[in-house]
Amino acid sequence: MPLRVPAAEDERFMREALRLGEKAALVDSTGGPFGCVIVKGGKIIAAGSNQVVKRKDPTWHGEMEAIRAAAKARQTFDLSGCTLYTTSEPCPMCAGAIFWARIDRVVYASTIADALRYGQFDDQPIYEDLAKPIAERLTPAVQCLREEMLELWRRYEAKADRIRY
Amino acid sequence: MPLRVPAAEDERFMREALRLGEKAALVDSTGGPFGCVIVKGGKIIAAGSNQVVKRKDPTWHGEMEAIRAAAKARQTFDLSGCTLYTTSEPCPMCAGAIFWARIDRVVYASTIADALRYGQFDDQPIYEDLAKPIAERLTPAVQCLREEMLELWRRYEAKADRIRY
């Protein structure tokens, strides 16, 4: 069972995530102070840091980079057995990615409230928005051509060799 | 103001997303039947499709690929003014990315319930989980070294040339 309390090795790995966050924000100026490492079997298998500004990519959060790198390194979309260390509580995008990657455990340093206070990074409204049905969210969303998509779904359902994931 | 109702051009762009989803699922077998295009000023500026299986990357959803490609093409993390067309209602990861990218409007074909029924893709529990505080979520999460991160936050806050995003 993944630990719901801090483990002896957590501080060591978090310090590496902090080092990456510091480098991103204060040395290389690639983005905010967000660093991330992914650990399996007591070893770091992948790392990432925020590069939204440098890469001009709104999805380049440390967690996303680390998850993609870990999946590539292990050649699997299933990162069961891994712990993700991140300098700040994950945003909904990264929390969703952590879920899809089947990460076992998350260790974080600062909270969403800390990130708002010190960095004006405001994740809370996004979390609140995503808790609503899509039709009630801030970004206007409309449905279109559902019947054509259902036909594609039926053909996908009937595909004998589809790989479930 | 972004339209909250279907627009005349929506069907045309959704058909292109459907074509990409069909290609991904039934022709190239890269993943599920998920295709996406991003449109600005009446033109497709980026596209993506699900490649989770092919790339062995749990984050390779059509929306993520399209957002990254659009940002790269336009050399900005701000995709204001863009509409995103996706064959199925976005998962929390992609909905988070849509938010960070400041996409104006989302058009989708099938719903989360459709994706569960035909493809066994179950996003609903993730949405429900992310609506809870991190300590109550399915993936165990623990806090570690917050004080050291607050010190980094203070240094970031004091950085004169930081770029807000």
Side-chain angles (χ1 to χ4, degrees):
Chain A
M1 273 293 291
L3 279 174
R4 285 199 179 262
V5 293
E9 62 183 18
D10 284 348
E11 292 197 358
R12 176 161 61 95
F13 293 124
M14 183 58 82
R15 287 217 164 81
E16 179 59 16
L18 286 164
R19 190 187 68 76
L20 293 169
E22 181 183 7
K23 187 169 185 289
L26 302 179
V27 181
D28 301 336
S29 296
T30 62
F34 306 107
C36 179
V37 297
I38 294 178
V39 170
K40 181 159 184 166
K43 288 201 180 108
I44 292 174
I45 61 166
S49 61
N50 190 289
Q51 300 191 29
V52 168
V53 171
K54 178 185 176 191
R55 307 282 186 167
K56 302 179 178 68
D57 180 341
T59 74
W60 206 304
H61 289 197
E63 298 96 321
M64 297 298 295
E65 183 182 16
I67 288 171
R68 292 169 68 101
K72 193 167 188 177
R74 299 185 53 81
Q75 283 289 296
T76 172
F77 50 74
D78 182 351
L79 299 177
S80 302
C82 294
T83 295
L84 181 145
Y85 294 81
T86 178
T87 53
S88 204
E89 194 180 333
C91 79
M93 174 181 71
C94 295
I98 286 164
F99 204 104
W100 288 126
R102 303 175 197 169
I103 297 272
D104 268 12
R105 183 170 175 265
V106 172
V107 183
Y108 63 100
S110 66
T111 62
I112 282 178
D114 294 330
L116 174 61
R117 176 175 174 192
Y118 294 100
Q120 282 86 53
F121 293 101
D122 199 359
D123 296 14
Q124 192 55 42
I126 312 183
Y127 269 115
E128 287 169 13
D129 196 48
L130 297 194
K132 297 175 187 166
I134 189 167
E136 295 170 22
R137 290 185 200 153
L138 293 170
T139 307
V142 299
Q143 196 167 19
C144 167
L145 296 184
R146 174 170 177 249
E147 286 305 321
E148 294 190 24
M149 181 56 190
L150 291 189
E151 182 52 35
L152 174 54
W153 271 121
R154 285 182 204 108
R155 290 167 63 204
Y156 179 70
E157 191 180 27
K159 184 174 152 66
D161 63 344
R162 68 180 160 136
I163 295 170
R164 289 166 197 276
Y165 63 93
Chain B
M1 274 290 293
L3 279 174
R4 284 198 181 262
V5 293
E9 63 183 19
D10 284 347
E11 292 198 358
R12 177 161 63 96
F13 293 124
M14 183 58 82
R15 287 218 165 81
E16 179 59 14
L18 286 165
R19 190 187 68 77
L20 292 169
E22 180 183 8
K23 186 167 185 290
L26 303 179
V27 181
D28 301 336
S29 296
T30 62
F34 305 108
C36 179
V37 296
I38 294 178
V39 170
K40 181 159 183 164
K43 288 201 179 106
I44 293 174
I45 61 165
S49 61
N50 189 290
Q51 300 192 29
V52 168
V53 171
K54 179 185 174 190
R55 307 282 186 166
K56 301 181 178 69
D57 179 341
T59 74
W60 205 303
H61 288 197
E63 298 95 323
M64 297 298 294
E65 184 182 14
I67 288 170
R68 293 168 68 100
K72 193 165 188 178
R74 297 183 55 80
Q75 283 290 295
T76 172
F77 50 74
D78 182 351
L79 300 177
S80 301
C82 295
T83 295
L84 181 146
Y85 294 80
T86 177
T87 54
S88 204
E89 195 179 333
C91 79
M93 174 182 71
C94 295
I98 287 165
F99 204 103
W100 288 127
R102 303 173 198 170
I103 297 273
D104 268 13
R105 182 169 175 266
V106 172
V107 183
Y108 63 99
S110 66
T111 63
I112 281 176
D114 295 330
L116 175 60
R117 175 173 173 194
Y118 294 101
Q120 281 85 56
F121 293 100
D122 200 358
D123 295 15
Q124 193 54 42
I126 312 181
Y127 270 114
E128 287 169 15
D129 197 47
L130 297 194
K132 298 175 187 167
I134 190 167
E136 296 170 21
R137 290 186 201 153
L138 293 170
T139 307
V142 299
Q143 197 168 17
C144 167
L145 296 184
R146 174 171 177 249
E147 284 307 320
E148 295 190 24
M149 181 57 190
L150 291 190
E151 183 51 35
L152 174 53
W153 271 120
R154 285 182 205 108
R155 290 168 64 205
Y156 179 70
E157 192 181 27
K159 183 175 153 69
D161 64 343
R162 68 180 159 136
I163 296 171
R164 289 167 198 273
Y165 61 93

